Amino acid sequence: MMNGKDILHGEYEWNNSMQDLIATRAMQRLQHVHQAGAAYLIHGNWTVTRLEHSIGVMLLIKRFGGSVEEQVAGLLHDISHTSFSHVIDYLVDDKKESYHDQIFLDTIQNSEVANILTAANYNLSLGDLSQYKLLEQLAPNLCADRIDYFLRDMRTYGYISEEEVTDFFDDLSVVDGQFVLQSEDIAMWYIRKYQEYVAVVLLDPRNIYSAWKMTMILRYAIEANYITLQFLETSTDEAVMEKLRGILDKKLQDELATLHRGVKVVLDERNFDFHMRGKTRVVDPLVQTMTGVVPISTINEEAKSTIKTLKEKYQNGSFIRVIHV
């Protein structure tokens, strides 16, 4: 057994096969792929990686009684994320933001992971991750993936406390294979904090700017035959940046220079430099009531209104103006 420490779950242990999977080159690559894409170039403290998230999803599934096979599926679910995470979806114009899902099985088959899975004799089917109900649920239900990236980002960036995380986990349970909260108060805490999460992380104007700018940079680099899409699939954020920074192309270098921590952008629907609309991300936690399990929005008007507002924000998209200083 190996030991580790996680910001959400504290001290934990994993068995040898899990350790072998985490040690593979394919999984270790995720240690250098940022969950928020290119935003780390602008937000110095946005350090959460796909590896941290993947381990966190595995631990969450284990914590709530998921099978070993589902824990493995949770660990591997993001293995095919490319450099800069969802930036690739804007690059290839994938409105579902699912490019990593399309190359998921190929990524596993072309890595050491496949042999480890065979040797461990897991009864595992990775062709359809939706069969693992703790790991994946149709939006807006809670699932291990959504719970982890929300809590992990908000805890790491200082928007929620350790006590709040503990209170949430203490209230969370599994009913008929789905995550369910026991109290309306905790469900509303989640709704309010998720609304904050959308504002300060997912739809943060500088985050949107970094995704747009990196998309433009990568598209230019691919069209100029400096890099390939396959390079982005197998590389890390810093390896791509090192490659780009070493290319003698003034236009490329000038564009790269616009990704820095001092950049200033504002929302401006009348006078904007670009407009981006991404995948709608909202949650509507299930909550236990006297009459059964229901979405919080069906019994709480604030929750219903908040979800409606967030959907409208995503549908409208972000109109960003860059302030040149």
Side-chain angles (χ1 to χ4, degrees):
M1 301 290 285
M2 297 290 292
N3 297 320
K5 187 172 184 179
D6 182 78
I7 193 172
L8 299 179
H9 302 284
E11 300 286 343
Y12 64 88
E13 292 184 337
W14 52 36
N15 62 33
N16 290 338
S17 59
M18 289 291 192
Q19 172 62 19
D20 289 343
L21 288 171
I22 292 170
T24 62
R25 182 177 179 182
M27 286 299 297
Q28 284 299 304
R29 183 184 68 86
L30 299 183
Q31 190 172 3
H32 306 284
V33 174
H34 290 82
Q35 185 157 278
Y40 79 98
L41 297 167
I42 290 174
H43 293 283
N45 66 325
W46 284 26
T47 56
V48 175
T49 69
R50 287 285 162 187
L51 182 60
E52 292 174 82
H53 167 61
S54 298
I55 292 174
V57 170
M58 173 191 72
L59 293 173
L60 182 54
I61 292 169
K62 180 180 181 182
R63 183 171 186 160
F64 285 90
S67 67
V68 172
E69 285 76 15
E70 186 157 12
Q71 293 172 44
V72 173
L75 177 66
L76 298 177
H77 82 286
D78 269 358
I79 196 171
S80 52
H81 259 293
T82 68
S83 305
F84 305 110
S85 291
H86 286 294
V87 168
I88 196 77
D89 297 308
Y90 307 129
L91 183 63
V92 301
D93 196 27
D94 183 344
K95 298 295 192 299
K96 294 181 179 180
E97 299 190 13
S98 62
Y99 186 84
H100 66 289
D101 294 328
Q102 299 171 37
I103 62 173
F104 177 71
L105 290 178
D106 284 344
T107 300
I108 289 176
Q109 290 302 320
N110 294 328
S111 73
E112 317 99 298
V113 169
N115 289 336
I116 294 173
L117 293 177
T118 300
N121 200 30
Y122 288 125
N123 182 23
L124 189 66
S125 174
L126 296 175
D128 179 17
L129 292 182
S130 66
Q131 68 184 294
Y132 299 110
K133 300 303 183 183
L134 296 184
L135 170 60
E136 298 284 357
Q137 285 282 331
L138 291 176
N141 289 344
L142 296 186
C143 61
D145 185 20
R146 291 190 190 99
I147 291 171
D148 185 83
Y149 71 64
F150 160 68
L151 292 180
R152 187 166 302 278
D153 283 354
M154 291 292 275
R155 180 75 188 98
T156 301
Y157 306 151
Y159 293 106
I160 60 176
S161 67
E162 182 178 350
E163 291 73 21
E164 287 176 301
V165 172
T166 299
D167 289 344
F168 171 76
F169 281 141
D170 286 347
D171 199 70
L172 192 63
S173 65
V174 174
V175 178
D176 295 330
Q178 291 186 300
F179 284 109
V180 176
L181 290 166
Q182 300 306 301
S183 75
E184 186 174 337
D185 286 345
I186 295 295
M188 286 310 302
W189 170 85
Y190 200 100
I191 287 285
R192 292 167 186 144
K193 283 297 180 179
Y194 195 86
Q195 183 178 34
E196 183 180 1
Y197 180 55
V198 170
V200 300
V201 178
L202 296 183
L203 294 185
D204 166 67
R206 292 205 297 166
N207 183 11
I208 302 298
Y209 167 80
S210 71
W212 169 75
K213 179 59 70 173
M214 184 56 74
T215 300
M216 297 300 103
I217 289 172
L218 294 178
R219 182 168 293 143
Y220 174 79
I222 289 174
E223 290 174 352
N225 293 318
Y226 294 141
I227 61 172
T228 64
L229 196 59
Q230 290 69 34
F231 175 61
L232 299 178
E233 291 176 3
T234 58
S235 195
T236 65
D237 297 348
E238 281 306 319
V240 173
M241 289 301 294
E242 183 178 0
K243 172 76 172 178
L244 295 176
R245 286 168 175 155
I247 296 171
L248 298 177
D249 182 318
K250 186 177 185 305
K251 178 179 178 180
L252 176 61
Q253 297 309 318
D254 287 346
E255 289 298 295
L256 286 170
T258 65
L259 282 169
H260 59 87
R261 295 179 187 178
V263 69
K264 298 186 186 309
V265 299
V266 293
L267 296 174
D268 189 339
E269 292 192 18
R270 293 186 176 182
N271 181 26
F272 58 92
D273 292 304
F274 67 95
H275 172 253
M276 282 189 74
R277 183 185 291 113
K279 177 182 176 181
T280 299
R281 286 182 166 86
V282 296
V283 291
D284 191 1
L286 297 175
V287 62
Q288 184 74 57
T289 70
M290 295 291 291
T291 57
V293 173
V294 297
I296 185 64
S297 65
T298 64
I299 59 173
N300 187 289
E301 284 300 317
E302 180 189 343
K304 182 178 179 180
S305 176
T306 298
I307 292 169
K308 181 175 181 290
T309 298
L310 289 179
K311 286 182 177 179
E312 289 172 351
K313 281 187 176 182
Y314 275 103
Q315 286 301 310
N316 291 337
S318 300
F319 297 84
I320 306 291
R321 177 163 60 89
V322 183
I323 300 175
H324 300 279
V325 295

